[in-house]
Amino acid sequence: TFVVRATDNSCPIPAQNIATISVTVLADSVIQSPLINCLDVKNNGDVELDWNTTPNIGNSFTAWMIYSATNKNGPYSLVDSVKTYNTTTYTHVGANADDQQRWYFMRSRSGCKGQIQNVSRDTVSTIFVDFQENNADLDVIWNPLGDPNPVGSSNQYRVSKAYPVTGGLSFYQNTMDTTINETFAVCSDTVPVS
């Protein structure tokens, strides 16, 4: 708040005015954190993340902050920050998600001088497939993306298999479960499932 006084001594009748002026500095907008749409585990274990941008009110965007852990309860580490607003994909090189499940969440950084990290809106994981053999039975077990699954996800998993191996992957079945059981005649063939 400022008090300003103006006087006029050159007129035949001197005059004086006093005014109080207030200046209010408004905080910069804080943008909402994005939702992760997809985690794509590459053959080498790297993970490609895909997300949608959220509205950049007042152009206050500074970065998308990507966090990851090998346990849902953490500890989470900052993987990287993406500083281009329109970028909606990132590849986490060296994630080793071909050997273990990986959890991810994202936070937006915006606001005054980019100092505000908004809370994450979801936490999702890669799907890690495990196999258990029992004589001629094979149980294929995997984890869900989240609990509950992210908004917009199907309530079913599309399972593909290659049998014989040289035939390539083809649709096998849809299931709401995170496990399937397959019985095979005893042989020495390999059956990839994805």
Side-chain angles (χ1 to χ4, degrees):
T1 302
F2 302 92
V3 177
V4 179
R5 184 175 132 206
T7 58
D8 179 5
N9 292 334
S10 13
C11 293
I13 303 174
Q16 172 178 287
N17 282 327
I18 298 175
T20 302
I21 301 171
S22 293
V23 177
T24 304
V25 178
L26 300 176
D28 207 353
S29 302
V30 175
I31 68 172
Q32 192 174 40
S33 295
L35 292 171
I36 298 172
N37 294 329
C38 181
L39 299 175
D40 183 12
V41 178
K42 303 299 182 184
N43 289 338
N44 64 357
D46 294 350
V47 177
E48 183 178 297
L49 291 85
D50 176 83
W51 65 90
N52 288 334
T53 59
T54 56
N56 188 8
I57 301 166
N59 282 336
S60 68
F61 171 84
T62 304
W64 304 119
M65 310 299 287
I66 301 169
Y67 292 85
S68 181
T70 56
N71 184 302
K72 182 178 182 176
N73 298 318
Y76 283 84
S77 299
L78 177 64
V79 173
D80 205 349
S81 58
V82 177
K83 296 179 180 165
T84 304
Y85 172 74
N86 289 322
T87 298
T88 58
T89 60
Y90 175 83
T91 301
H92 180 189
V93 176
N96 298 320
D98 55 339
D99 291 330
Q100 62 188 343
Q101 184 178 359
R102 272 272 179 192
W103 292 90
Y104 290 90
F105 68 80
M106 291 182 66
R107 297 174 73 181
S108 65
R109 194 172 77 207
S110 59
C112 186
K113 296 184 181 180
Q115 294 180 352
I116 307 297
Q117 280 196 47
N118 208 344
V119 297
S120 66
R121 294 172 54 204
D122 64 352
T123 302
V124 295
S125 78
T126 56
I127 293 179
F128 186 72
V129 180
D130 194 18
F131 304 92
Q132 293 179 353
E133 263 184 85
N134 184 12
N135 295 325
D137 284 346
L138 176 68
D139 289 324
V140 182
I141 304 157
W142 62 91
N143 59 279
L145 293 173
D147 187 20
N149 275 341
V151 174
S153 297
S154 172
N155 63 348
Q156 293 194 349
Y157 297 93
R158 179 183 170 93
V159 180
S160 299
K161 76 174 184 177
Y163 189 76
V165 175
T166 57
L169 286 172
S170 60
F171 174 73
Y172 176 60
Q173 72 181 43
N174 286 329
T175 180
M176 294 175 66
D177 296 323
T178 56
T179 183
I180 58 171
N181 177 275
E182 186 73 20
T183 302
F184 292 96
V186 178
C187 64
S188 61
D189 203 354
T190 305
V191 181
V193 177
S194 73

